[in-house]
Every structure is written in C-alpha cells, then in structure tokens.
Amino acid sequence: MGTVNAEPYPYTFEPAKTALIVIDMQRDFIEPGGFGDTLGNNIGLLAAIVPTTRKLIEACRRHGVRVMHTREAHRSDLTDCPPAKRTRGNPSLRIGDAGAMGRILIDGEPGNDIVAELAPLPDEPVIVKPGKGAFYATALGDILRLQGITHLLFAGVTTEVCVQTTMREANDRGYECLLIEDATESYFPEFKRAAMEMIRAQGAIVGWTAPLAALEKAFAVPA
Ligand code: TIU
C-alpha cells in the first residue's frame, strides 16, 4: 500500500491494482507540423513535460504499476471520425489531410506515434481512441477489469481536454484517480490550473492531484 501526499487529501493505492495511463503523448500534439501546431497552439509548453513524464513512467515500471498509453487516432478511411470533429474551427489542416508528419491524427502515420522518449514497451497496452475520452469506443474498460485495476494514475496532454475527459469517464466508472501535476500540460496554462482545481474541488469530486515527487516519496516507503 502506498500513500501519496496529494490534494485535497492523501491518496492511498496498491501498486498491483494501479495503472498509469499516459494520454496522447504523440508527435501530432507535441512536434512542429502536427495537429496541435496546425490549430495554432504553442507546442513548446507540451514538449517541456516529456522528461518528467519519462521519469514517471520509469518509476511506475520499477514499482509494479502497470503502464498503459493512449493515442488519439482515426481510421485511414475516416469512418470513425464525426464530420463535426473534422470541420470544427475551420483549421488550415483537417484530420486526415497530409501534414508534415503524414496524415493528421491517422492511425499508423508517423505523426501519430508516441514521442520516441516515451515509447511504450512491447507488453504495455496502447489504446487507440477516436474520441477525447479513452473509454469511448475502446477496450480500455475491459482491459482494466481483466487486470484487476481499481486505481488510475494520469499523465499526458492536454490537461483540460483528453486528460480531464478520461479522468471523468474513469471516475464515473468507480476508479480512484490521481493526476500527476507536472506530467500533464495544456496549450493554455490557465486551463491546466483550472482543470486541476476542478478535479480536486469538493473533496476530490473527480480525483486527486500531486506532483511526481510526492508519488516517488510514496514509492520509497517500504511496503
Ligand atoms: N489529446 C487531446 O487533448 N486532444 C486535443 O485535441 N487536445 C487539444 O487541446 N486540442
């Protein structure tokens, strides 16, 4: 059993029943020419969390917390992409268009890969998701149930879009959720701050937040 000095109060978890879900740390959101860039965002903010996220992943691997990854991606024929999602905002490049790293947000394209520094190990599930939430139209719920997972740690991008949506989906399904504060980021710093406050308000209405150092301290206490 580990206890993290989290907000709004300590978060207790059993590593064997806990999974880390690293959300959408893919080149499309983080590198120049990807989807995030074409939407006009400052991608440098997101690239800055890669080293901390790597430390988090490595700590979880060492301490028996299962690591899972997600990618926001659509089928190459776009049949799983709602037209509303494709046309919203009238971006210069739409989902499925040819960009600097292949077709934007299409499964199997170079831009859809997880950044090299955070590459999944062969036994780590990668959930390919067509929505913002990782439970929508994916096998994630079944995978977690079959693995006996009750607690979820969250990292990745962006805090108020795919991370928060997935945390809310998980919370409604009964998982105890902890967001690692310095392993998540938004294109809008004020949205990250607000999302973290919303998550932990009202006695952890959606879940807890804590920095990586607090999780590392919990791991350091002998079981
Ligand atoms: N992964 C994720 O958050 N997808 C997005 O499109 N996020 C934005 O903030 N645009």
Side-chain angles (χ1 to χ4, degrees):
M1 219 41 130
T3 300
V4 181
N5 188 10
E7 293 286 344
Y9 61 92
Y11 172 88
T12 300
F13 69 106
E14 202 177 313
K17 294 186 176 174
T18 303
L20 166 67
I21 304 191
V22 184
I23 305 274
D24 298 357
M25 290 297 286
Q26 56 201 73
R27 300 179 66 201
D28 268 326
F29 293 122
I30 295 172
E31 294 186 8
F35 186 55
D37 199 11
T38 64
L39 292 175
N41 296 303
N42 175 4
I43 52 175
L45 284 169
L46 273 54
I49 65 158
V50 169
T52 310
T53 308
R54 185 179 169 129
K55 274 194 213 155
L56 168 65
I57 290 171
E58 287 171 351
C60 286
R61 286 174 182 154
R62 274 198 309 277
H63 291 279
V65 169
R66 258 196 164 279
V67 177
M68 305 186 185
H69 309 255
T70 71
R71 280 192 283 113
E72 183 172 348
H74 292 277
R75 295 164 52 100
S76 62
D77 60 12
L78 293 175
T79 49
D80 63 352
C81 182
K85 181 176 180 183
R86 190 153 189 263
T87 55
R88 187 84 50 82
N90 199 21
S92 57
L93 282 177
R94 294 183 175 181
I95 294 168
D97 288 351
M101 292 184 287
R103 293 179 67 202
I104 302 270
L105 280 195
I106 298 297
D107 190 18
E109 295 288 327
N112 203 240
D113 277 346
I114 291 169
V115 295
E117 298 94 319
L118 308 180
L121 294 181
D123 65 343
E124 293 174 354
V126 179
I127 309 296
V128 179
K129 62 183 187 61
K132 302 305 183 194
F135 286 84
Y136 170 70
T138 74
L140 179 59
D142 288 332
I143 290 171
L144 295 175
R145 185 175 46 79
L146 290 170
Q147 303 291 323
I149 300 296
T150 56
H151 287 57
L152 296 174
L153 312 181
F154 282 94
V157 298
T158 59
T159 315
E160 81 283 9
V161 184
C162 292
V163 176
Q164 182 172 214
T165 301
T166 304
M167 270 188 92
R168 288 175 182 274
E169 288 181 324
N171 187 49
D172 281 347
R173 287 165 174 78
Y175 294 97
E176 303 278 25
C177 299
L178 171 68
L179 175 61
I180 305 302
E181 296 167 5
D182 41 353
T184 184
E185 194 48 88
S186 168
Y187 296 119
F188 308 93
E190 69 274 27
F191 289 176
K192 173 182 176 178
R193 213 162 34 243
M196 293 199 306
E197 283 175 18
M198 285 178 218
I199 284 163
R200 63 194 178 215
Q202 304 180 66
I205 192 91
V206 175
W208 287 255
T209 78
L212 174 59
L215 179 67
E216 284 173 333
K217 258 192 188 164
F219 280 145
V221 175

